[in-house]
Amino acid sequence: MTDFNIESMDHEFQLHKDFDVEETEEWLESLEGVLKARGPERVRFLLNCLIQKSFKNGIRLPFTANTPYINTIPVERQSVYPGNRKIERRIKSLIRWNAMAMVVRANKNYPGIGGHISTYASAATLYEVGFNHFFKAKGEGFDGDQIYFQGHASPGIYSRAFLEGRISISQLEHFRREVEKGKGLSSYPHPWLMPDFWEFPTVSMGIGPISAIYQARFNRYLQDRGLKNTSNQRVWAFLGDGETDEPEALGAISLAAREQLNNLVFVINCNLQRLDGPVRGNGKIVQELERLFRGAGWNVIKVLWGSDWDTLLANDNTGLLVQRMNEYIDGESQKYIVESGDYVRKTFFGKYPELLKLVENLSDEQVWKLRLGGHDPEKVYAAYKTATESKLAPTVILARTIKGYGLGEAGEGKNVTHQVKKLNDEELKDFRDRFDIPIPDSKLEKAPFYRPDEKSEEMQYIMEMRKNLGGFVPNRKTISVPITIPSTHVFNEFMSGSDRDVSTTMAFVRMLTILMKDPIIGKRITPIIPDEARTFGMEALFRQFGIYSRVGQLYDPVDASNFLFYREAKDGQIIEEGITEAGSMASFTAAGTAYASHGIDMIPFFVYYSMFGFQRVGDQIWAFGDLRGKGFLIGATAGRTTLMGEGLQHADGHSHVLASTVPNLITYDPAYAYEIAVIIQDGLKRMYKDREDVFYYITVGNENYPQHAMPKNSREGILKGLYKISPSSLKAKDAPRAHLFGSGSILQEIFRARDILEKKYKVSTDVWSATSYKELRRDALATERWNMLNPGKESRKNYLESILEKEKGVFIASSDYMKIVPDQIARWVPGLFTLGTDGFGRSDTREVTRRFFEIDAETIKIATLYRLAKEKKKTMANVKKAIQDLGIDPEKVNPLLA
Ligand SMILES: Cc1ncc(C[n+]2csc(CCOP(=O)(O)OP(=O)(O)O)c2C)c(N)n1
Ligand SMILES: [Mg+2]
């Protein structure tokens, strides 16, 4: 074919003018005929044959992932609405009113307290159709749907719960007054603050959508592994169109399609606005999203036009109405909302005189009020119904709405609408009239809440509909049945130490294997790894436990003959996420909250490069804390200098600083296998037996060294964060004394420093293992606070004081983390001198990088001599000599700045 060129394949391709109308008619008539006689399947088949045939003959069709800017479900294929539209409208109007009133009243009573009116105002129909007809509750068990409500729509969700009798007027009055437990309502969905109500924190945008995808996949994992039948559970994620700019929001959509998650529905509220202005003023966000989702393999249902438009579209013989719909951009669309009906008539319809005829019988007001799809319950219902019937793919519903719908002059469709928190008297009146709220003028000014009588039609209806769906949502439930946790004896092999060089990563992997074989908790363990299993020496788990795959393994793996081959299995236990820490964290979240969303305890271990944890997915970790999730984050190949050969973007010397900020996270930087065993065993007990809402962060390193045996009576110290692992063997009474604190791999440097200090300088040196500065600090702060609040009572001692009060001498701490990590306890250890890895990391040998960052044995020695000299137990000449002996230039560049 001579006319073939690459441009004819792209979307710039232009269709030629029709030069044989008769022929076209014939083709179209045949198509109509087949559609009528044989149905859409046959039409699809024939069209496909035509495309294939054309393709073989070199004819390329323009690529477009877009369909026209009209509803995906044609009116004649729309399912019949099963509810009572009139009552539902009244209920919805009341919910709108109370949602608006709670924000307005909160801001009247407490200026500046904030809140959002316009998000829910635009999404009310999307939610109400769900509440009345789709959202299954947990009811008696844990089989309900999992619904991710858009964070900023929370007033609407509270408002419905108020009508349902689950939230009191006093609570509504205390919207955003979160401090007094049970009295107020949290600004957004926070299980931490409202543990019996909210299930999923969504307000940090992007986290809801990615969590929902992995939640839907985790439901399948539970099912395929025979742990729970989740086939009736659906995951609904409501998100804003602006929110889709967050990488997390769309970053995992291809996984959802690949995994054929037909149990997942995204509802994107396309009000075309975000906080500052239009999402895509110069384009069309709906079309952009359609392309992305269709390209990824989702069902896309566009709900753009309400029933009012059906007649107009049916009467559009020229095709110009669809053309006009296709061509106008979002910026213009926003303008139609704030302008008059006359303006819409002139500029939208008036562009083509033929279109004016379509609306000639409508008044300006009717033209202005032509409803959008997302505000039309019938259209929304049809979309949800179709979504729930999907067999093979997840569905996204792109619903066109108006931001601030019903707010009128106060902000409907205006750029400022997101921030509207107050309505004046006139605006309140308009709102009331528009939604027929039975509140008289005399009371309007106070924007009172309104709840119809229990016996009213509305209340009966609400209750009936929710009863049919199993109860109320959201409604967070949890199981609190303690699990039998393996005792520390299970880990006996780690207690006696070994002369063989072993890394803490290796030891951890061995422990994980032991736990996975435990008859009680073994099945519950979910190892989650983002493509680093081999780095951490975890490939042995592949063969033993299998990698989860919905379809098993359809190919013969290249390494099939190897003992440790890459084994995928339908009942595989390991979740290999590929290179996505965000996705892995979302899986960790689904697993770590299964006790609440599924009524089953799962024990996730998310093992990752420690550098790509907190600073990469810190927001998700924070949300996990809010969610009261349970599980172990394992920061592997940790430590700025312990991980050899990588460099600045790998070498983690600060994850413990970031981890220190999460309130319910227990963190450890252990040095030995027995410490890890004690910590994991205690963690299992605290989380799954004592049912504490905490989770764990443990760093493990890849440096091999001999494993110390567990000293007697060290269990408490390991867990509290500090214990003496090796007292000095120097018995001389008048010897200068030093205490060296070390963590992780750097404890080896501490031991080496002790040898030098004792042999060469006769300093009696005790070695301490500091497993958790965060735990030590929290204990000390709590004690200090108690003492402050209880004057006159006998002062309590914190743990540090209790173990250090009799210790004389100087205190030096060294670790593979920033100095601020040990500095956390400086207040309670007078004169504590800290060494650490402040500054950008770099690759070199461990010896060299440790000297560079000044955390090695020799620098520890210098620091100790310096501190002793300050205490007059050594001389500054000793220090100077030690520096000279090492050949250190005192003016060398500070590693912090290097
Ligand atoms: C990660 C994150 N960044 C910024 C914000 C602040 N914020 C709250 S709502 C909002 C606009 C939301 O727009 P959209 O997603 O379109 O939702 P709509 O309210 O229009 O339904 C912004 C920027 C946030 N909550 N989370
Ligand atoms: Mg928006």
Side-chain angles (χ1 to χ4, degrees), residues 492-625:
N492 264 351
E493 66 178 81
F494 304 103
M495 301 306 174
S496 45
S498 80
D499 294 334
R500 199 164 61 91
D501 287 351
V502 177
S503 72
T504 45
T505 302
M506 274 160 74
F508 159 73
V509 174
R510 172 90 189 112
M511 265 174 239
L512 186 63
T513 315
I514 293 173
L515 284 175
M516 288 173 82
K517 288 185 187 152
D518 182 87
I520 297 172
I521 65 161
K523 277 192 133 198
R524 308 299 181 89
I525 290 180
T526 307
I528 301 164
I529 313 155
D531 201 34
E532 290 288 355
R534 292 181 200 280
T535 312
F536 311 138
M538 294 177 78
E539 59 269 45
L541 301 182
F542 291 169
R543 184 193 161 101
Q544 256 178 308
F545 301 100
I547 295 161
Y548 172 67
S549 156
R550 179 178 60 83
V551 291
Q553 194 154 36
L554 305 177
Y555 60 96
D556 190 22
V558 282
D559 50 0
S561 57
N562 290 359
F563 184 65
L564 304 176
F565 73 99
Y566 194 87
R567 186 172 79 85
E568 299 195 59
K570 189 156 177 169
D571 62 352
Q573 192 162 351
I574 301 164
I575 298 187
E576 250 279 3
E577 290 299 8
I579 310 164
T580 164
E581 281 75 18
S584 304
M585 193 57 213
S587 274
F588 182 72
T589 305
T593 53
Y595 74 98
S597 44
H598 289 290
I600 175 169
D601 270 318
M602 295 300 289
I603 308 174
F605 283 83
F606 171 22
V607 193
Y608 57 91
Y609 246 123
S610 79
M611 188 67 161
F612 306 134
F614 281 83
Q615 67 178 17
R616 181 95 191 195
V617 291
D619 202 9
Q620 285 172 288
I621 296 175
W622 183 257
F624 190 84

Side-chain angles (χ1 to χ4, degrees), residues 150 240-243 269-274 279 403:
Q150 205 183 336
D241 47 359
E243 181 172 7
N269 178 13
C270 297
N271 53 28
L272 314 188
Q273 287 179 244
R274 43 183 165 72
V279 178
K403 189 140 176 171

